[in-house]
Structure formats: structure tokens, C-alpha cells
Amino acid sequence: MNIGFELIPGRTVSRIGLGTMRMADRPDQRRGGTAPVWRSPADRPDLIRFVREAVDLGVDHVDTADAYALGAGEELIGEALVDMPDVAIATKIGNVRPSASEWVALGHPAYLRQQLELSHRRLRRERLDLVYLHRIDDAYPLEDQLGVLAEARAAGTVGGIGISLVDVDTFERARRVTAIDAVQNPFSVGERSSSDLVQATADAETAFVAFFPLAMGDAGQDERVTAVSSKRGADPSQVALAWLLAQGSHVLPIPGTTTLAHLRSNLGALELDLSDEELAVLANG
Ligand SMILES: NC(=O)c1ccc[n+]([C@@H]2O[C@H](COP(=O)([O-])OP(=O)(O)OC[C@H]3O[C@@H](n4cnc5c(N)ncnc54)[C@H](OP(=O)(O)O)[C@@H]3O)[C@@H](O)[C@H]2O)c1
């Protein structure tokens, strides 16, 4: 199942990447929907070691954003992967964090240009593999926001362009502005509101990067998942990820974890082929 997917031109990655949003704050603040993702991590050296070990285990697609820990997330990834140019780093710009509980879209083109420059510095890369508009800001034309990324791609400083938390109409509008390499939306066994976008991206041969693939750590609360995992002798998270992998060869989950045991388990989903019967159990309703 793990033959990889060409995330950006010339860069094929393993189907399961690593989400790093929760590499912030103190370890006890990282779980659930109210995790602040605001301060630099209290255990930074441990996390740097963890990211490097993740690469040893086969991770070659790491997801971050300029907004995670107010830039400290990118700094951490930049330091961890400084001698690993073959690991694809995807980052996102276009969200500001005026407080620990707020995420506000900001798409002023001058601000986006500034954030691209900061991403280069913090990630320590002259060429950013993949940059998403974290949110599209309705206060500015989509053409202008994507235009910043398209200019950078034309200049060779950005490899691929993505958009995040969008619907099919916005995906189609964005594609008329510039080539879109990846779309990043929430998608999991229990959250299928982007199913039409999964189909639209499949038709366009665009990567669909699934965020919150483990329902923020609650994959094991879904009875369909536990019905399959207990029969199969697999972890619930593995079943949740295997279901995502079965939704199309362009679907790339980016589970977030900060523990090696969870990471090993999650990567084990690459070897877990679900039968038609198991997929029927996991079907909606
Ligand atoms: N584009 C966007 O707007 C957007 C929004 C949100 C997130 N994202 C991206 O998506 C990534 C994933 O999202 P997420 O981390 O919030 O949610 P998630 O991947 O659905 O779940 C992460 C949670 O699951 C736990 N976990 C991981 N593997 C596990 C396992 N095998 N068994 C049990 N628990 C496990 C983690 O805790 P441990 O650390 O203890 O393993 C963590 O608390 C983020 O890191 C970020 O890169 C993007």
C-alpha cells in the first residue's frame, strides 16, 4: 500500500506524514481541541530528538505552520531537519495568533510575503517544499493571496502550493488562479464532511492531506473503529489511518504525535490492508 504519492513535482513521499502542531507548550497541555499551541515547547531538545528519530523510522513529510507556537514550531523543525534536505517540510502562512485561543486569517499580500521570508529563515531552507495558505482571508482577493505563492514558485523559492480548510468551489476557483499541489482539510472515520473534496482532488490528481486524522486522539472512541481493531488485533489509531489510506492513493494523513510508541504504531498502518468486510463496518451510519 505504501508506494508513496508525488506531493509536489519530483518529490514522492510516504503516505503517512507527521503533524507537529502539538509540539508546543507543556506536555500536559497538548491534548484535545483546546490545546493552546501558543508557547515554545517546554521539552524542546526531546522533541528535536523525536523528529530526527521519526525520520529514521521512515517519516519524510513533516507538517508545520508559521502560527504554531508563534514561529517556534518552524524553528524547532528547522533545527531538527537542518541536515536532512530530503525530508519534505510543508508549512502554512496566513493565520495570526493574537492570543492563545484565537486563530485569525490574515491575507494581506505584504504580510504573506513577510511570513514567507520568516519561514525561510526559521526552517533554514532557501526553497520551501510546500506552502499552504493556512486560511483564505475573504478581505483580500484570492488571486492576490495565491499570487504571492505563485510568484515565489516562479522564482524557485517555493516548490508547491497548497490551500487549507476549503470547499470544492474554492478549490476549483484556486485552480483557475494557479496550480494547486495539495489541499489540507479535516478528514477521518468520524469526520467526513470533506468527502466531496476528496473526490475532487482525486479527479485533479492533487494531494488531499488529512488533518485531525485521529480525531485529535479520540480515534479509539469510535465504535466502528474499535469493532475492527479488536477483531484484527490492531491499535484503533492504525485502523483509523488504514481507513484513510483506503480512501484514495492521493489521501495523505498527517497524524500528530510526540511519542515514539504512537509513531511506530501509526506508521504500522501502512501495512494494514482493510478487507471489504472491515471497510463496510467502518462505513458511515
Ligand atoms: N490545516 C489546518 O488548519 C490544521 C488544523 C489542525 C491540525 N493540522 C495539522 O494536522 C496535524 C494532526 O492534527 P492533530 O495532531 O491536532 O490531531 P490528530 O493527529 O488527529 O491527533 C493527535 C493526538 O492523537 C494522539 N495520538 C497520536 N497517535 C496516537 C496513537 N497511536 N494512539 C493514541 N493516541 C495517539 C496524540 O497524542 P501523543 O502525542 O501522546 O501521541 C495527539 O494528542 C497537526 O499536527 C497539524 O500539522 C492542520
Side-chain angles (χ1 to χ4, degrees):
M1 185 183 280
N2 185 26
I3 53 168
F5 186 81
E6 192 173 18
L7 180 62
I8 55 172
R11 187 70 77 96
T12 295
V13 298
S14 170
R15 296 276 310 281
I16 294 184
L18 176 65
T20 64
M21 179 179 78
R22 293 174 192 274
M23 294 186 182
D25 308 310
R26 295 195 320 253
D28 61 314
Q29 294 178 317
R30 288 183 188 145
R31 292 193 67 80
T34 56
V37 193
W38 169 253
R39 295 189 187 282
S40 298
D43 50 353
R44 192 170 188 278
D46 293 346
L47 292 174
I48 288 176
R49 205 173 311 120
F50 171 80
V51 172
R52 295 180 67 84
E53 285 171 347
V55 174
D56 287 343
L57 291 175
V59 167
D60 61 3
H61 167 204
V62 173
D63 187 85
T64 183
D66 67 349
Y68 298 165
L70 298 185
E74 283 188 335
E75 279 170 2
L76 186 149
I77 298 306
E79 184 172 339
L81 300 179
V82 66
D83 56 348
M84 300 182 180
D86 292 341
V87 178
I89 304 177
T91 194
K92 319 182 196 73
I93 59 173
N95 243 341
V96 291
R97 305 291 316 280
S99 77
S101 60
E102 290 174 284
W103 298 78
V104 180
L106 180 55
H108 191 303
Y111 171 71
L112 296 178
R113 276 191 201 97
Q114 171 191 289
Q115 293 309 104
L116 269 188
E117 175 59 25
L118 286 172
S119 292
H120 283 289
R121 293 185 194 184
R122 293 188 289 233
L123 290 171
R124 307 187 192 191
R125 291 199 177 179
E126 287 178 15
R127 187 170 189 267
L128 301 172
D129 295 313
L130 172 62
V131 181
Y132 296 87
L133 282 182
H134 205 160
R135 293 291 179 269
I136 291 166
D137 182 354
D138 292 337
Y140 300 93
L142 179 61
E143 291 75 9
D144 293 356
Q145 295 170 73
L146 284 172
V148 171
L149 297 181
E151 272 169 27
R153 178 164 57 191
T157 55
V158 162
I161 296 176
I163 49 180
S164 172
L165 205 64
V166 294
D167 58 16
V168 172
D169 282 352
T170 307
F171 173 54
E172 296 300 346
R173 271 203 302 138
R175 292 177 68 207
R176 288 195 286 276
V177 178
T178 191
I180 299 297
D181 298 283
V183 172
Q184 185 172 139
N185 265 35
F187 194 51
S188 65
V189 172
E191 213 293 57
R192 305 187 192 191
S193 59
S194 291
S195 296
D196 54 351
L197 192 58
V198 172
Q199 186 57 53
T201 46
D203 295 344
E205 297 179 3
T206 300
F208 181 98
V209 176
F211 80 72
F212 293 158
L214 300 176
M216 294 187 267
D218 285 342
Q221 305 298 314
D222 189 304
E223 284 176 6
R224 295 164 294 186
V225 171
T226 50
V228 172
S229 65
S230 55
K231 259 195 169 172
R232 186 79 184 240
D235 286 343
S237 299
Q238 290 180 321
V239 170
L241 293 171
W243 179 82
L244 281 164
L245 296 177
Q247 302 312 303
S249 59
H250 68 306
V251 176
L252 311 179
I254 47 167
T257 184
T258 52
T259 68
L260 277 179
H262 285 169
L263 179 67
R264 284 200 184 90
S265 168
N266 295 346
L267 296 178
L270 293 167
E271 313 301 328
L272 188 66
D273 278 320
L274 297 173
S275 66
D276 290 345
E277 197 185 323
E278 289 168 326
L279 288 169
V281 173
L282 293 164
N284 246 339

